[in-house]
Amino acid sequence: MSQVPPGPWAASAARTDDGSADDGIRRFAAIWSRVIDPYTATSMTRAELEEHLLPLTRRLAAILESVPFDVRPAKDIGRAMVQAHCTDPQVLSQSLTVIDAYLLLYRPPAESLPPEAARGHLARLQHAFAAGFAEALRDRTLAEQEAIAHASLAAQARAERALHASEARFRALFEGAAIGIGISDLEGNILDVNETLARMFGGRVEEFRTRNVNEFMHPDDAPHVWKQYRELIRGERDHYRFEKPYFTHNGSAVWTNLTVSLIRDQNGTPQYQVAMMEDITERKLLTDRLRYQATHDPLTGLGNRALFFERLAEAFDSGDESTRLGLCYLDLDGFKAVNDSLGHEAGDRLLVAVAERFTGCLTGRNQLVARMGGDEFVALVVDPDCPEEVAGLARRFLAALDAPVRIDGRELSVTVSIGLLECTAASMKAAQMVQAADITLYRAKAQGGNRLAVFDAEANAREITRYGLTTRLPAALEEGEFFLEYQPLVALGDGRVMGAEALVRWRHPQQGVLGPDRFVALAEQTGLIVPLGYWVLEQACRQARAWQLELEQGAPRINVNLSVRQARNPGLVNDVARILKETELDASSLHLEITESALIGAEDQALDALRELTDMGIGLALDDFGTGYSNLSYLRRIPVHTLKIDRSFISGLQHPDAPGNPRDEKIVAGLVSLAHTLDLAVTVEGVETELQAERMRALQCETAQGWYFARPGPPDRITALCAAGADRWTGGACA
């Protein structure tokens, strides 16, 4: 039995002398004893019963306070009730009612535990309590049944020596038993039943003596029930035990705990069969009700994620790897807007209406729709009848939300995005199937929603790889997997290395060296770009200071990219100032490069931060100018020093005979002219040939970078280029 840590009551009781902390427990125990006292078969007075229930109440309270939550001890409490001779089914029913109504009242949940979670814990506690009670009662009943069976066998064995005495004892046991007993021959003809069994079925004893056991088959009987029955009458087994339903005389169902034993003669030859039945109908109904609560969504009435995963596991565990499965993962489009504008009550009513429409789309018993939580649903199809069944179901889901839902006089419109996946049980595991359908759903979302996306293995693999990189990013930064390379910025007029741009790389333990195109966007989405960006800035500034100490007057400035999130981070100015101070780098040696996308929609606070940086002496370059929004008002509002022209404008100018786009050179000329009119310098990116360098020099671009001058490399590459001077580029040599 697991140990339940003491809850707040126990701690409170230990701190007080007057016992006031125990009042809530005592009040609950008093109510509990008063409710079940009329149904107990004990010799205890009600006051004694209350004292007996007091430690059980403390254990119930401790279970609700256990961390992690563990309901297993509740089964022992249910068993304890039976051991105290509280065996009437009403004791179980009334106990569960009292626990449901009063336990949370006298043991309020911790403030950190939401009411919904507390009610969920309470329901699981009730279920475990009922299970323990039922198991103990079953064990007790089985012991009685075994005693009856042994008594019956003993009576038969002594029949020749003391027939009359034995018959008298057997009849007393048979007729006075609290459980139903029936005797039949090996052909199934019923020879006798007791009054308890007759009352259980709503008939008279005489009526049963004309019937056969086979007449009591029930549609819900499992095949192995009657298989074991046939084995018993053939003498291949001596008994079997099941929970089995029967129809009564009025057509209702009675659930029994059935034990059938074979009676043999003194030579071991099968003679009779004895059936003993305990009526467990109320317990079965209670168990079914608790199971329904555990496997169904209380808001919509649909199955919940527990039921969905249970059915999915059953399909995968069936043993038939050729079983085909279809899965639709659904997410409502526009539901958040309804919740935010009209409130959660309207959102809940909308979910109920959507669930009803989705249920109406189901056409077979092999189809299930369940609510996963929030506005997410799933539909499972096991062994589709035809290849189009799953796709047809998905299309019906889409069509079901074509018409708006009317709530409180308002017409609310929502649509649904669906990720569809079909596979065999052999092709993937259950968790992989759900993950793949979920990824496919978000492809449908990314395409605008209100549509169906079908699983694509390659797209799924890319998304899994992307997810793996996303989850690895924090550890990669902590474990030093990132490093910097530097690409020179060369003055087109005299060939000097004017600066170096710091470019971050990721040395991934499995995938090797990754460029920023593989992970910077992910870091931006997750927010990790801020600490990563500051790490890059600090490393680059330290390297720039090292160049200054080594090269003195010929040291290049350092250019560092500033991400969108960094640019809008309130601590930007202080962090940059701190890094400059720690690395002993003069602000004039640092240029920050920012893209137009970082400026679009930027508030005045972010623009003010950029102005503060330039006031400190830091240079500011507008990166990829001409490819984005290109709002010239930013050139007026922020103190930009340099425009960086994107490589796409010069890609067609690599060779003398390349036709290229004649407008590209004119655009570059216009951008250069605009920049010079505003007293801004121009850097052109992507220079790969001597011809491109010459044309950009002719257009009076000040600096350039690209593979013609050098690929990105380690810091000593920049040191060597600075030492080589202008001769490095003579003759169009390329690194």
Side-chain angles (χ1 to χ4, degrees), residues 56 137 372 374 411 584 732:
L56 300 184
L137 187 60
M372 294 292 277
E411 288 193 344
E584 299 180 353

Side-chain angles (χ1 to χ4, degrees), residues 20-323:
S20 59
D22 210 33
D23 288 346
I25 295 180
R26 288 190 172 276
R27 285 196 294 272
F28 181 90
I31 295 172
W32 192 2
S33 64
R34 186 169 60 250
V35 170
I36 69 172
D37 181 62
Y39 307 103
T40 61
T42 70
S43 60
M44 290 185 287
T45 65
R46 197 172 73 79
E48 291 172 337
L49 178 61
E50 178 179 338
E51 287 299 313
H52 181 78
L53 294 177
L54 192 57
L56 300 184
T57 301
R58 291 194 179 98
R59 291 172 65 187
L60 287 173
I63 292 169
L64 283 179
E65 292 294 321
S66 61
V67 179
F69 183 62
D70 183 4
V71 299
R72 288 175 293 177
K75 295 183 68 173
D76 296 332
I77 301 174
R79 285 183 171 275
M81 298 298 293
V82 176
Q83 292 165 2
H85 304 291
C86 300
T87 58
D88 192 287
Q90 283 294 325
V91 171
L92 175 60
S93 177
Q94 296 296 331
S95 295
L96 291 174
T97 300
V98 170
I99 291 172
D100 185 72
Y102 294 101
L103 187 55
L104 284 180
L105 177 64
Y106 290 123
R107 205 287 304 163
E111 294 181 1
S112 62
L113 189 65
E116 296 85 1
R119 294 301 302 179
H121 285 185
L122 187 64
R124 291 173 60 190
L125 182 148
Q126 290 176 276
H127 188 281
F129 178 92
F133 186 97
E135 290 174 3
L137 187 60
R138 181 187 61 200
D139 294 344
R140 185 189 184 104
T141 303
L142 292 178
E144 292 178 355
Q145 292 173 353
E146 290 296 329
I148 292 171
H150 286 301
S152 176
L153 290 171
Q156 292 285 341
R158 293 191 300 269
E160 294 181 0
R161 298 190 306 271
L163 179 60
H164 295 294
S166 176
E167 177 67 17
R169 288 192 297 269
F170 175 76
R171 295 309 302 183
L173 183 63
F174 180 77
E175 295 173 358
I179 62 173
I181 304 176
I183 304 173
S184 65
D185 61 22
L186 299 182
E187 284 72 41
N189 300 311
I190 298 175
L191 304 176
D192 202 2
V193 300
N194 66 356
E195 287 289 346
T196 303
L197 188 145
R199 285 196 304 270
M200 192 182 302
F201 283 81
R204 293 179 295 115
V205 171
E206 294 76 13
E207 297 173 355
F208 287 88
R209 292 172 181 157
T210 61
R211 304 187 65 179
N212 190 283
V213 170
N214 293 295
E215 298 177 38
F216 291 88
M217 295 180 68
H218 191 280
D220 292 337
D221 285 341
H224 62 276
V225 172
W226 291 93
K227 176 178 179 292
Q228 294 193 20
Y229 168 76
R230 288 188 290 272
E231 292 173 353
L232 181 132
I233 62 177
R234 290 196 300 264
E236 297 171 4
R237 62 169 56 241
D238 288 323
H239 66 273
Y240 62 84
R241 182 178 297 138
F242 296 109
E243 286 189 358
K244 180 184 176 340
Y246 289 97
F247 286 123
T248 65
H249 276 52
N250 62 12
S252 62
V254 57
W255 274 89
T256 67
N257 192 355
L258 169 69
T259 299
V260 180
S261 299
L262 182 67
I263 306 298
R264 302 175 185 267
D265 63 16
Q266 59 186 4
N267 298 319
T269 304
Q271 293 291 307
Y272 305 100
Q273 50 182 321
V274 178
M276 289 167 281
M277 303 178 189
E278 173 200 3
D279 186 348
I280 60 168
T281 304
E282 287 192 19
R283 192 170 76 212
K284 177 69 174 175
L285 293 175
L286 175 63
T287 300
D288 290 346
R289 177 167 65 87
L290 292 174
R291 171 171 168 74
Y292 182 89
Q293 292 174 350
T295 58
H296 285 75
D297 175 41
L299 176 64
T300 63
L302 296 178
N304 59 14
R305 61 185 300 119
L307 180 63
F308 163 72
F309 280 110
E310 178 183 298
R311 296 284 180 84
L312 187 63
E314 288 173 358
F316 273 93
D317 296 341
S318 64
D320 184 0
E321 293 189 342
S322 65
T323 298

Side-chain angles (χ1 to χ4, degrees), residues 484-674:
L484 297 184
E485 290 186 333
Y486 301 89
Q487 187 174 36
L489 288 88
V490 178
L492 289 174
D494 57 14
R496 289 182 300 113
V497 176
M498 300 295 296
E501 181 178 356
L503 300 169
V504 63
R505 305 286 188 259
W506 182 1
R507 190 176 287 107
H508 194 280
Q510 284 82 40
Q511 300 187 36
V513 176
L514 304 179
D517 58 312
R518 294 286 303 278
F519 62 85
V520 166
L522 301 180
E524 188 82 44
Q525 293 170 11
T526 60
L528 190 71
I529 194 67
V530 174
L532 176 60
Y534 287 134
W535 178 86
V536 171
L537 179 61
E538 181 177 358
Q539 297 300 311
C541 288
R542 290 189 188 281
Q543 183 57 56
R545 181 58 181 158
W547 283 327
Q548 289 178 351
L549 295 175
E550 181 179 4
L551 301 172
E552 298 181 352
Q553 297 300 320
R557 70 169 187 261
I558 188 71
N559 280 35
V560 180
N561 290 286
L562 198 64
S563 71
V564 175
R565 282 182 180 254
Q566 278 182 285
R568 300 182 182 184
N569 184 7
L572 174 65
V573 176
N574 290 335
D575 287 330
V576 173
R578 173 184 56 80
I579 290 172
L580 289 175
K581 181 178 180 181
E582 291 176 354
T583 59
E584 299 180 353
L585 183 68
D586 188 84
S588 62
S589 299
L590 172 64
H591 277 217
L592 296 176
E593 298 186 5
I594 186 168
T595 62
E596 293 178 78
S597 59
L599 300 177
I600 295 174
E603 299 178 354
D604 290 340
Q605 181 181 1
L607 299 179
D608 289 342
L610 296 178
R611 295 189 191 98
E612 288 187 52
L613 292 174
T614 57
D615 289 344
M616 292 165 54
I618 296 171
L620 192 63
L622 194 57
D623 199 9
D624 297 335
F625 189 76
T627 61
Y629 188 59
S630 299
N631 189 335
L632 300 181
S633 66
Y634 290 121
L635 300 179
R636 176 173 53 86
R637 298 171 62 191
I638 59 174
V640 175
H641 300 89
T642 305
L643 294 185
K644 294 192 73 173
I645 298 176
D646 187 72
R647 68 178 63 243
S648 60
F649 293 112
I650 68 167
S651 59
L653 308 177
Q654 294 182 1
H655 306 288
D657 55 349
N661 188 339
R663 294 186 177 181
D664 283 348
E665 192 164 350
K666 294 180 180 179
I667 291 174
V668 174
L671 294 176
V672 172
S673 176
L674 171 66

